Amino acid sequence: MTGSLIPQTEIETSTPTVTITAQEMKARGFTTVAEALQQSSFATGTVQGAATSGSFTQGAQTLSMFGLPVGFVKYLIDGRPMGDFPGLYNGSDTFNNLSGIPMDMVDHIDILPGGQSSLYGSDAIAGVINIVLKKHVDGPSVDVRFGTHSGGGGTDRRISFSDGFSGDKFNLLIGAQFEHTSPIWGYDRSLTKNYFTQGTSAPVASRDYLVYSATKRSNAYYFLDPNNCANVASQFGGSEGVQHRPNSGTYCGSLNTPGYATVQNDDKSANLYTHFTYDVTDNFQLYGDLLYNYEEQKYFVGSGFTWWGTGIDYGAYYDPKLDDFVNLQRAFSPEDVGGYNNIMNKQYESSYMLSLGGKGTIGQSNWDYDVGFTHSDDKLLEHNFQRLDGPIDAYFRQHVLGPQQGMDPYYGAYPIFTPDYSAFYTPMSPADFRSFTGYTDTRAKTWDNMLRGQLTNASLFSLPGGDAGVAVVLEGGNQGWAYVPDPRLLDGQIWGTTDVQGAGHRSRYAVTTEFRLPLLSQLTADVSGRYDNYKVGGQNVNHGTYNLGIEYRPFDTLLLRGRYGTAFKTPTLSDEYQGLSGYYSFVADYANCARLGYDPGNVTSCPSKYSDVQYFGQQSGSTKLQPITAKVWSYGLVWAPLDQMSVSVDYLHWDINNEVNTESADQMSNTEYLCDVGTLDMSSPSCQNAFAQITRGTSTDPSLLGPIQKIYTPKVNVSNEQVNAVTASFNYAHGIGSLGKLAFRASYSDELKHTTQAYPNDPRIDVLRHPAAYPNGTDFKTKVNGSLTWIPNDQWSGTLYVNRYGRSPNYLATVYDNYSHAGTGKLPAWTLYNLSVTYNPIKSLALSFLVNNVLNKMPPIDRSYPGTSSVPYNTDNYNVYGRAMYIEAKYSFGK
C-alpha cells in the first residue's frame, strides 16, 4: 500500500492519499499519464513544457505540487524510485520526465501530498506519486485510438497490445504501446499566429531586416533599403513589408512571425512492459519487471531564435558613410531555410527500468521478506539545429559586409565595413543557408542501482486496538549523471550559443523502520524513521527523518487524522557536479562607493558607474552542499456518512530550509566592503572568500579599488520557503433505479500561503501578493476538478469531467509586482470540460468517443500585454490546443 510499508485493511489512514484508476483516466479524457497528473488539483504550480519555446527541457513533461520546485516530488513506479531525466530543468534542476510512461499499461496512480521522506527518502518533500502498473490481464487485447484537434494539428495515433500467460507456478504479462502525435504550430491557432492585436499598444512587427545605431538614441533605426522591402516581400508567406516602430524607425518585418513555432511537439514513442512471477515454493516467489521507453520528439523554437547579427562577434561596426557605429540584424525566413519543419530540434530518449527479486514468508512465522534489485538507465541525445560561428560570419562578410577596412577612427576598437545594404535586403537560397548551419549532438545519461531488502510483520504483538505491525528496510546502491555537450558548444564554434557540462556519481545506503500501533480500538499511531547517507567526493552527506501519524475514529463514519515529521532532499548530482557556466548581471560596488564617501546603505546615491556595475558571473556545482531540510505537518478528517459517500479535508504545512541557490553577488560585494573598512577581520574566512571570488581590474586611481570584472557564485544552501495549503475531496455514488447509477468525484486545492527568501538577509517575499516572483508568482492559487459518471446499463457509460484553474496574475502585474498599478489585475478562471462515452456492443468490444475541451476554450485573453508580444498568455500556465476529439476501440480476446 502506498503510504505505508505495512499491509493493512484501512482504506484511509493518517496519510492523505488520492487514487486515480486507469478507468477514471480514460473516462476523464486524459491522453497521457503526464496529463492526468498535471490536471490533478495538487498541481497548482507553473511548469515549462512544449509550449515554452526556448526552454531547456522542451521535450520533457513534469509538474509542480502546490507551487514547490519540480524536483521536490518523489516518483515511484510500483514502489521503486523512478530514474532522473538526464536534462536539467531550467538549466540547473534535476527532475523526472513523465512523458515516457505508457498509459495503457497503468493500473492506477496513488498521490500522497506532504512530506514522506521517513518512508521514501530524498526528494519526497512536496509529496509522493506512485504509478502502479498492471500485474495481470485475462487474455490478449488490442486497443486502437485516433484523434485530432478541431483547430488543426496534433493528430494522434496510438495502438497498444497486452497479453497474459499463466501456468501452474508461472505468470507472465507483456504489453506494448506505440504512439505518434503530430505537432501543433502557432499559426494553427488565432491567438498565436501573429503579434497580439488587442493589447496595450498596436501590434508591432518583428524586426527581420534591421540596421540600427549603437550610439544614437536607443533603438534608432536606419532604413537603407533602396527597394522599400520589395525584394523580401515573399518572405514569411508573403507577409514581409515596410514596418515602423514608434520612436525607433523603419525596417522590414512581418506581423506573422510568432506563428512559426511549435506549441506542441511532434512525438513518437514506443513502450514495452513485462511482468513475471514464478512460485518456487508455497513460501517463496521470484519476480521481475521491465519497463522500456523509446521516444523521439521534434520541435521548432521560433524565428526569433533563428537569426544573424553583427552584435554577437563584432559588438558593432563603424560605417564611414554614416559616420556611426552600427549593428545589423537579419532573421532567416521559412523560405530561406526551405521550411522550418526541415530544421526542427530533435530529442531522442531511451530509458529502461529493470527489477528482479524474490519474496516470501520465513517458515510458518508472520515475517514476510522481499529482496530485490532495481536498475534504471536513461540516455538522452539532443540533436539541435545551430548556426556555425565561422561560416555564418564569413557568408555575410562575403555577401553583405565586404572586406574589413581597418579599425574605427574614434576608439580603434571596432572594425570598419561599408556594407552592400541592397544585398542585405535580399532573400537567400536554402543551399546558402545550409552552408553555415548544422546540428550539434549533446549526450546525457543518468543511471541508478538499488539493492533493497524488506522485513515485515503485520502481527508483531497484540495491543488493545489490534495487532501491531513493523517493517524494516535496508537499501543501498549508487547513481550517476553525465551531461556531455557537443565540443563545439564549448569552444566557440557555435554562433550565439554555449552550454555547460558536468558528470559525477555517488554511493548511498539507507535504513527505514515503521511501526503501526493500534493503541485503542479508536486510536492508531504510525511511527516511521529513516536514515540516509550519501558518499560524495570522499565525504558523507547524511540526514535522518521521522514521522508520527495519528488516526482517531470516534465512531465508524469519522476519521480524524494528523501527521508531524521531517523531510529532506539530498543535493542533486547536477547541483554537486555541474561545471562552470557564465552569465552577465549587475552588482553594486559597495567598497568603492564607501571609498568615494557615499553611504553604502544608500547605494543608489553613489554614481551609477559604481552603484550598477555590469560583471561576468560564473557559477558551478559544489560537492560541499548539504541536504535541503523541511518540517512538515498536516491534519484533517474523513467523513463517510453513507456507504457510497465520503468527504475529506486536510490542511498541510511545509517549512523548508537550506534550499540550493547560487551565492549572492550582492552580499559578496557587501562582505568585501565590510572587510575593506575593517568591520570584518581581513584574515577571516568570509573576507578571504570574498577576495578570492571577486576579480577586479587595475585601478587608475590609487584611492580606489579596480573595477569589478568577474564574480564567482557557486551553488550554496541559502534559500528557504514556507507553504500552507488545504485540500478537499468529495465522492458519492447513487443508484437511480432503472436509469442505472451515478457517480460523482471532486477534488480541490488552495494554496493559502507561500513565502520565499532567496538569501538570509533578504526580505521574505509573499509570492501570492508578488506576481513578479519567479516561478511562483504566477501559480494558480486554487484548482478544482470533478467528474460525473452515468452508467445506465452494462453496455453504456458516459463521463463529464470539469477542471477549473483559478485566477492568475496578468502580465502587467508581473511587470510592476503588484495589483495596485494601473492596468494590473488577475485573469479570470479557466474552466475546461471533457466528455467521454463508451459503448460495449459485445462484452469483448468497447467503443469510445472522447471530446476534450468540449467548448474549445482558449486561455483567458490578457489585454495587458503590449503589441510586441507574440502570445497574449503565460505559456507556463495555459495552452491553445483547444478541442480534441478521439475515437477508440478495444477488443479483448480473452474471457
Side-chain angles (χ1 to χ4, degrees):
M1 175 180 177
T2 309
S4 177
L5 303 175
I6 304 168
Q8 52 196 279
T9 58
E10 299 289 354
I11 297 175
E12 295 285 357
T13 67
S14 62
T15 301
T17 305
V18 175
T19 297
I20 309 174
T21 66
Q23 292 83 358
E24 288 171 334
M25 287 191 288
K26 179 179 177 180
R28 295 176 183 182
F30 302 143
T31 57
T32 64
V33 169
E35 185 179 10
L37 291 172
Q38 289 167 348
Q39 291 202 31
S40 69
S41 62
F42 306 108
T44 60
T46 61
V47 290
Q48 298 174 358
T52 313
S53 287
S55 68
F56 289 89
T57 49
Q58 200 163 330
Q61 298 185 68
T62 188
L63 60 83
S64 164
M65 291 182 72
F66 304 103
L68 290 168
V70 298
F72 281 21
V73 180
K74 184 80 169 186
Y75 293 94
L76 309 172
I77 296 180
D78 290 331
R80 307 178 188 103
M82 183 177 171
D84 292 330
F85 184 66
L88 301 180
Y89 184 85
N90 213 27
S92 61
D93 297 335
T94 300
F95 71 112
N96 295 99
N97 178 20
L98 300 172
S99 68
I101 302 170
M103 183 168 169
D104 280 354
M105 297 297 108
V106 174
D107 182 79
H108 67 276
I109 301 174
D110 291 329
I111 304 172
L112 284 67
Q116 311 287 340
S117 290
S118 64
L119 292 181
Y120 300 108
S122 177
D123 305 344
I125 292 180
V128 168
I129 294 176
N130 186 22
I131 301 164
V132 181
L133 303 179
K134 295 177 179 177
K135 299 297 180 290
H136 178 77
V137 294
D138 291 330
S141 66
V142 176
D143 192 306
V144 180
R145 190 186 70 189
F146 176 83
T148 190
H149 289 73
S150 59
T155 300
D156 180 81
R157 314 155 190 86
R158 188 178 77 191
I159 182 171
S160 64
F161 167 82
S162 63
D163 197 3
F165 307 92
S166 297
D168 225 9
K169 298 183 177 182
F170 181 73
N171 176 69
L172 173 67
L173 181 150
I174 184 168
Q177 177 179 301
F178 174 78
E179 186 166 10
H180 178 205
T181 303
S182 302
I184 297 176
W185 289 81
Y187 50 68
D188 290 326
R189 301 291 183 267
S190 60
L191 278 183
T192 51
K193 69 180 181 181
N194 48 35
Y195 283 98
F196 190 33
T197 60
Q198 304 175 50
T200 56
S201 61
V204 181
S206 58
R207 296 169 293 183
D208 300 327
Y209 299 84
L210 184 65
V211 184
Y212 61 98
S213 169
T215 59
K216 295 184 178 179
R217 70 182 188 278
S218 177
N219 293 326
Y221 305 156
Y222 290 107
F223 189 51
L224 303 175
D225 183 7
N227 296 298
N228 254 14
C229 303
N231 287 351
V232 294
S234 62
Q235 306 300 283
F236 290 99
S239 63
E240 194 76 15
V242 178
Q243 308 289 346
H244 183 79
R245 287 202 177 197
N247 302 316
S248 294
T250 304
Y251 59 96
C252 297
S254 168
L255 289 167
N256 295 351
T257 53
Y260 292 94
T262 54
V263 294
Q264 178 177 289
N265 300 347
D266 183 286
D267 192 340
K268 294 179 182 177
S269 63
N271 306 98
L272 174 68
Y273 169 62
T274 63
H275 168 75
F276 86 88
T277 60
Y278 180 73
D279 297 324
V280 180
T281 68
D282 291 342
N283 286 342
F284 179 54
Q285 182 186 78
L286 296 173
Y287 63 84
D289 297 274
L290 172 65
L291 176 63
Y292 173 77
N293 169 65
Y294 176 78
E295 189 170 18
E296 296 180 5
Q297 298 194 61
K298 295 191 297 184
Y299 54 89
F300 185 68
V301 295
S303 60
F305 293 86
T306 312
W307 58 282
W308 171 85
T310 51
I312 296 293
D313 285 335
Y314 302 107
Y317 66 90
Y318 177 73
D319 185 336
K321 295 181 180 180
L322 299 174
D323 189 24
D324 195 7
F325 294 90
V326 182
N327 273 312
L328 297 181
Q329 178 179 300
R330 186 208 196 280
F332 300 118
S333 69
E335 292 79 12
D336 286 335
V337 309
Y340 286 143
N341 60 308
N342 292 318
I343 61 167
M344 298 172 78
N345 290 335
K346 303 175 178 67
Q347 176 181 294
Y348 305 90
E349 183 185 7
S350 176
S351 64
Y352 69 90
M353 185 173 178
L354 173 67
S355 296
L356 297 170
K359 59 184 179 180
T361 303
I362 299 176
Q364 302 302 313
S365 70
N366 293 323
W367 289 96
D368 297 325
Y369 64 90
D370 187 336
V371 178
F373 171 77
T374 300
H375 173 74
S376 64
D377 189 286
D378 196 335
K379 294 184 177 68
L380 179 70
L381 169 60
E382 296 174 325
H383 189 62
N384 289 339
F385 191 80
Q386 306 288 2
R387 298 148 294 179
L388 308 179
D389 188 72
I392 197 171
D393 284 339
Y395 175 87
F396 282 98
R397 281 197 303 270
Q398 178 183 352
H399 293 86
V400 175
L401 294 175
Q404 183 176 335
Q405 300 162 21
M407 305 301 288
D408 74 275
Y410 295 99
Y411 306 102
Y414 299 93
I416 298 174
F417 291 112
T418 55
D420 179 354
Y421 290 107
S422 62
F424 176 68
Y425 295 94
T426 302
M428 66 176 57
S429 69
D432 284 347
F433 179 76
R434 288 193 296 270
S435 71
F436 55 76
T437 57
Y439 281 88
T440 56
D441 287 338
T442 292
R443 301 177 187 275
K445 177 181 179 179
T446 59
W447 52 265
D448 195 306
N449 294 311
M450 184 180 73
L451 181 64
R452 182 179 187 275
Q454 176 173 330
L455 274 176
T456 308
N457 189 331
S459 302
L460 183 64
F461 53 84
S462 295
L463 287 171
D467 289 340
V470 64
V472 179
V473 176
L474 293 173
E475 61 183 55
N478 52 25
Q479 57 187 170
W481 166 76
Y483 188 85
V484 184
D486 191 303
R488 294 172 294 174
L489 287 163
L490 302 177
D491 63 12
Q493 294 188 54
I494 302 303
W495 191 87
T497 305
T498 61
D499 210 337
V500 299
Q501 61 182 335
H505 66 275
R506 63 192 180 194
S507 59
R508 70 188 193 279
Y509 68 85
V511 56
T512 307
T513 304
E514 180 186 11
F515 289 95
R516 184 165 178 81
L517 306 169
L519 305 174
L520 301 169
S521 60
Q522 296 174 321
L523 182 65
T524 300
D526 188 278
V527 182
S528 57
R530 179 177 170 118
Y531 176 81
D532 286 84
N533 184 82
Y534 291 77
K535 190 167 185 178
V536 182
Q539 64 179 4
N540 292 317
V541 178
N542 47 61
H543 194 71
T545 52
Y546 64 88
N547 179 78
L548 171 63
I550 296 293
E551 304 164 25
Y552 176 57
R553 292 176 171 83
F555 40 88
D556 291 342
T557 60
L558 179 64
L559 165 66
L560 303 177
R561 60 189 177 191
R563 301 174 73 245
Y564 180 85
T566 57
F568 88 107
K569 177 179 177 63
T570 194
T572 65
L573 283 163
S574 60
D575 282 339
E576 292 171 333
Y577 290 104
Q578 187 173 346
L580 278 174
S581 62
Y583 64 93
Y584 286 94
S585 189
F586 293 86
V587 70
D589 187 345
Y590 293 100
N592 274 331
C593 284
R595 289 189 175 203
L596 288 168
Y598 294 92
D599 179 9
N602 184 23
V603 74
T604 55
S605 64
C606 187
S608 59
K609 179 180 179 180
Y610 301 101
S611 65
D612 201 24
V613 180
Q614 185 178 38
Y615 70 93
F616 174 66
Q618 284 189 308
Q619 59 183 353
S620 68
S622 171
T623 56
K624 297 180 181 179
L625 292 170
Q626 294 299 306
I628 300 169
T629 61
K631 294 179 180 178
V632 293
W633 51 262
S634 67
Y635 58 85
L637 62 86
V638 181
W639 181 45
L642 302 174
D643 285 343
Q644 298 189 73
M645 176 188 289
S646 67
V647 179
S648 70
V649 180
D650 289 281
Y651 182 90
L652 302 103
H653 169 81
W654 292 265
D655 184 2
I656 306 170
N657 294 282
N658 286 339
E659 289 191 71
V660 176
N661 202 342
T662 56
E663 198 164 342
S664 170
D666 183 80
Q667 291 189 14
M668 196 179 306
S669 177
N670 190 64
T671 299
E672 183 196 41
Y673 147 70
L674 295 174
C675 301
D676 189 54
V677 298
T679 302
L680 296 177
D681 185 351
M682 296 276 283
S683 62
S684 69
S686 295
C687 291
Q688 292 302 308
N689 181 63
F691 296 149
Q693 293 179 212
I694 296 177
T695 301
R696 291 180 175 270
T698 302
S699 175
T700 57
D701 185 341
S703 66
L704 297 176
L705 300 175
I708 295 176
Q709 295 178 335
K710 183 170 68 175
I711 302 179
Y712 174 53
T713 55
K715 294 185 178 182
V716 290
N717 297 98
V718 289
S719 303
N720 61 75
E721 62 185 309
Q722 291 185 347
V723 174
N724 294 338
V726 64
T727 68
S729 67
F730 176 73
N731 302 307
Y732 180 61
H734 182 65
I736 50 178
S738 61
L739 296 179
K741 179 180 179 180
L742 288 175
F744 178 72
R745 298 192 66 176
S747 63
Y748 169 80
S749 292
D750 189 346
E751 193 175 322
L752 303 175
K753 172 187 175 182
H754 194 161
T755 63
T756 63
Q757 186 182 38
Y759 299 99
N761 295 326
D762 287 355
R764 189 174 293 274
I765 297 174
D766 181 352
V767 299
L768 297 180
R769 292 166 179 81
H770 286 271
Y774 181 83
N776 311 107
T778 56
D779 290 351
F780 295 106
K781 183 179 183 295
T782 64
K783 198 172 179 182
V784 59
N785 55 57
S787 63
L788 177 64
T789 298
W790 178 35
I791 306 174
N793 52 51
D794 291 340
Q795 288 186 299
W796 289 92
S797 66
T799 297
L800 174 66
Y801 175 74
V802 183
N803 198 8
R804 182 187 185 274
Y805 298 81
R807 302 174 70 192
S808 67
N810 69 5
Y811 168 73
L812 278 181
T814 66
V815 172
Y816 293 107
D817 196 27
N818 61 51
Y819 295 105
S820 58
H821 195 280
T824 62
K826 290 189 176 183
L827 301 172
W830 191 43
T831 305
L832 305 180
Y833 299 85
N834 295 352
L835 180 65
S836 70
V837 177
T838 298
Y839 171 57
N840 299 86
I842 56 177
K843 289 186 177 181
S844 57
L845 177 63
L847 303 176
S848 301
F849 179 61
L850 305 92
V851 183
N852 290 353
N853 195 352
V854 175
L855 302 181
N856 199 32
K857 292 278 288 186
M858 291 292 114
I861 296 178
D862 186 350
R863 291 183 172 83
S864 72
Y865 276 99
T868 54
S869 176
S870 58
V871 293
Y873 63 93
N874 185 332
T875 57
D876 290 349
N877 281 1
Y878 306 99
N879 67 69
V880 290
Y881 300 156
R883 184 188 299 114
M885 296 165 289
Y886 301 89
I887 54 174
E888 185 172 356
K890 180 177 182 180
Y891 188 83
S892 301
F893 297 89
K895 297 179 182 179

